[in-house]
Amino acid sequence: MNLLLFSLFREKKRRRVVELTEKMVVDGGNGHTCDFFERSGPFTHPDFEPSTESLQFMLETCKILVIGAGGLGCELLKDLALSGFRNIHVVDMDTIDVSNLNRQFLFRPKDVGRSKAEVAADFINSRIPGCCVVPHYTKIQDLDETFYRQFHIIVCGLDSVVARRWMNGMLLSLLVYEDGVLDPGSIIPLIDGGTEGFKGNARVILPGMTACIDCTLELYPPQINFPMCTIASMPRLPEHCIEYVRMLLWPKETPFGDGVALDGDDPEQIQWVYQRSLERAAEFNITGVTYRLTQGVVKRIIPAVASTNAVIAAACATEVFKIASSAYIPLNNYMVFNDVDGLYTYTFEAERKENCSACSQVPLDLRFAPSSKLQEVLDYLTESASLQMKSPAITATVEGKNKTLYLQSVASIEQRTRPNLSKTLKELGLTDGQELAVADVTTPQTMLFRLCFTS
């Protein structure tokens, strides 16, 4: 970690807190006293100065954004509110399902079908006096830079690597550089938590200073996708049978009408997939197809354990408190928790990648022969462990004009640019040293690559 930049960041924040505190009219009888902030201790930050300023900042000023109101998000909201943070926003695009109730404790049976963000906010606001949780029932991609710029700290409780990467890219896009030097005041710390079964992790990311999500992308294994030939011709697992129904039978038979997408939260639709999957499994003498497994495959559900969520949320909330109060040195910068066999935890410092596609500020090299086809470039962008793009759109400046080489997300443009995939880079008019601009759902920013021809 760059300690100089971190110190500048903390000092700038401290000065802002002092200015805001001086403007406040503090009621001496309001009961807000905390001996913790008025004395030092053996584990306090070397630069920590005992005062009530940090307490006032936490209670009155600090604005926290929690992304996700699921198993981890519910725990985060509860921990942050009980820690004294009053100004909290939460974003979640999902609605409450019956299957959520066993671990997402802010919800009740009467809430099924409602917005997770809205119900969670109502619950916290009603139970913790003085706390104001503002819900946003929307996708994180639908909120702009102005929205994210208002927060002091952002905490993620997501189950999607794509969403994590997008949030990471958004915070990187908010950074301000003056003559190539990062302005510490533009840094919004990101606390990221993740769980899967009895394993979990928490990490502290200072965008532009420490390793970002994409710096350690290799730690996130690519999502498992079954080969189409196996699904269609040689199924061996119950998952193969469910994927066959989801990918092939559903669009063919359109059981709920033309153009109706499969909804993993609709019991009738899942029941239809379940029954067809049982029939498919019987043909190949495959056992193990259950309703629960069917819904898990359709929704790509990650196993969740309430106790793991509680541990990781507590770790994340502790890191939020450290940064907001400046009382302790924050985690540097990755903590792993595991209680599969026994229980252990350890921390390590994930280092920044000099050629990180998200935070390095330099175009990455793409090394291909002039005779390579555009399809090979597309495959590299999606299959590379360090990139893992989902649907990259590639554009370049050819003969002075901006040209879309391939775009998948818009059907009409995809059809028009599809022939380019079978053309060589030379046939497309690309040259050695050419810059390619690539847009993808994993980031709000357009990434730049430099094409380097090999012999």
Side-chain angles (χ1 to χ4, degrees):
M1 181 185 297
N2 189 321
L3 293 178
L4 176 60
L5 276 177
F6 184 53
S7 298
L8 290 172
F9 164 67
R10 289 182 61 256
E11 177 59 23
K12 188 164 185 176
K13 187 187 78 171
R14 190 191 70 80
R15 289 199 303 269
R16 184 166 70 243
V17 173
V18 171
E19 293 171 359
L20 291 169
T21 304
E22 289 175 348
K23 295 178 181 179
M24 291 180 184
V25 178
V26 181
D27 180 7
N30 63 4
H32 293 317
T33 60
C34 185
D35 183 56
F36 173 83
F37 291 105
E38 298 176 359
R39 59 186 173 85
S40 187
F43 300 107
T44 55
H45 193 284
D47 298 331
F48 175 69
E49 297 177 3
S51 71
T52 58
E53 294 171 0
S54 294
L55 176 61
Q56 293 298 333
F57 175 71
M58 286 179 55
L59 292 175
E60 308 295 342
T61 309
C62 189
K63 186 177 288 189
I64 308 293
L65 174 62
V66 175
I67 300 179
L72 194 55
C74 285
E75 291 280 358
L76 282 167
L77 289 169
K78 177 259 295 181
D79 290 347
L80 291 170
L82 291 176
S83 295
F85 294 99
R86 292 176 169 179
N87 199 345
I88 305 171
H89 289 235
V90 58
V91 178
D92 197 299
M93 60 173 285
D94 205 359
T95 55
I96 299 166
D97 182 67
V98 173
S99 63
N100 302 147
L101 302 181
N102 70 330
R103 64 193 180 281
Q104 298 175 21
F105 59 90
L106 300 182
F107 311 140
R108 300 292 182 267
K110 63 182 177 61
D111 301 320
V112 171
R114 294 183 59 197
S115 157
K116 287 185 178 181
E118 293 173 358
V119 173
D122 290 345
F123 191 101
I124 295 292
N125 291 338
S126 65
R127 293 291 292 271
I128 303 179
C131 186
C132 178
V133 180
V134 180
H136 302 274
Y137 177 35
T138 186
K139 297 178 180 179
I140 57 173
Q141 294 87 347
D142 293 338
L143 300 166
D144 59 15
E145 291 185 0
T146 303
F147 173 81
Y148 291 110
R149 204 184 296 274
Q150 66 180 303
F151 297 101
H152 295 94
I153 302 171
I154 294 179
V155 197
C156 283
L158 294 164
D159 59 4
S160 165
V161 177
V162 172
R164 278 188 176 90
R165 295 178 66 187
W166 191 94
M167 196 66 244
N168 178 72
M170 170 55 72
L171 295 185
L172 288 170
S173 71
L174 298 180
L175 297 178
V176 176
Y177 290 86
E178 299 175 358
D179 297 325
V181 179
L182 176 62
D183 177 8
S186 65
I187 297 173
I188 301 176
L190 174 64
I191 315 298
D192 179 58
T195 66
E196 182 172 346
F198 292 98
K199 300 177 182 179
N201 70 274
R203 62 188 302 184
V204 174
I205 298 172
L206 301 177
M209 291 171 54
T210 63
C212 73
I213 296 290
D214 282 43
C215 285
T216 56
L217 197 56
E218 291 89 345
L219 296 178
Y220 300 98
Q223 181 174 291
I224 297 175
N225 291 306
F226 301 110
M228 182 59 72
C229 59
T230 300
I231 294 172
S233 306
M234 300 176 292
R236 300 184 301 277
L237 301 172
E239 290 85 351
H240 293 162
C241 301
I242 299 168
E243 284 288 84
Y244 173 83
V245 177
R246 183 183 74 87
M247 298 179 65
L248 299 176
L249 284 191
W250 180 273
K252 180 181 178 181
E253 299 187 11
T254 59
F256 290 82
D258 292 338
V260 176
L262 177 56
D263 183 357
D265 292 317
D266 187 322
E268 293 185 12
Q269 295 186 16
I270 293 298
Q271 183 65 31
W272 185 90
V273 175
Y274 170 53
Q275 292 297 332
R276 294 298 186 276
S277 300
L278 282 176
E279 296 170 7
R280 175 73 171 173
E283 291 179 24
F284 293 88
N285 297 317
I286 296 173
T287 60
V289 174
T290 64
Y291 182 91
R292 187 179 183 87
L293 178 65
T294 302
Q295 189 174 43
V297 171
V298 170
K299 296 183 65 176
R300 295 291 195 266
I301 292 175
I302 298 174
V305 175
S307 59
T308 310
N309 286 334
V311 170
I312 297 304
C316 290
T318 301
E319 296 306 319
V320 173
F321 174 80
K322 289 179 184 178
I323 293 177
S325 67
S326 299
Y328 295 97
I329 299 175
L331 174 68
N332 186 24
N333 51 33
Y334 205 111
M335 185 274 283
V336 175
F337 171 82
N338 189 322
D339 65 345
V340 175
D341 297 310
L343 188 153
Y344 69 91
T345 180
Y346 65 93
T347 64
F348 65 91
E349 180 182 0
E351 297 185 359
R352 290 185 68 185
K353 286 178 63 176
E354 293 183 1
N355 62 340
C356 174
S357 60
C359 70
S360 65
Q361 302 291 310
V362 295
L364 298 185
D365 290 342
L366 289 176
R367 301 187 180 278
F368 287 92
S371 58
S372 300
K373 291 180 170 56
L374 185 63
Q375 179 68 61
E376 297 177 52
V377 177
L378 192 73
D379 291 342
Y380 174 78
L381 294 174
T382 56
E383 296 173 5
S384 169
S386 61
L387 296 174
Q388 296 186 33
M389 295 186 182
K390 300 301 177 184
S391 54
I394 308 173
T395 61
T397 301
V398 180
E399 296 179 352
K401 296 181 179 180
N402 190 48
K403 181 179 181 180
T404 300
L405 302 179
Y406 183 70
L407 191 148
Q408 185 175 345
S409 57
V410 181
S412 60
I413 301 179
E414 194 281 331
Q415 186 176 6
R416 178 169 56 83
T417 58
R418 191 184 308 161
N420 289 340
L421 295 176
S422 59
K423 294 181 180 179
T424 66
L425 302 181
K426 186 176 181 179
E427 290 172 340
L428 291 170
L430 302 178
T431 58
D432 186 39
Q434 176 101 46
E435 280 198 351
L436 300 180
V438 181
D440 190 61
V441 294
T442 56
T443 176
Q445 304 182 89
T446 297
M447 289 178 283
L448 294 179
F449 293 85
R450 182 173 55 244
L451 190 59
C452 298
F453 281 165
T454 58
S455 55

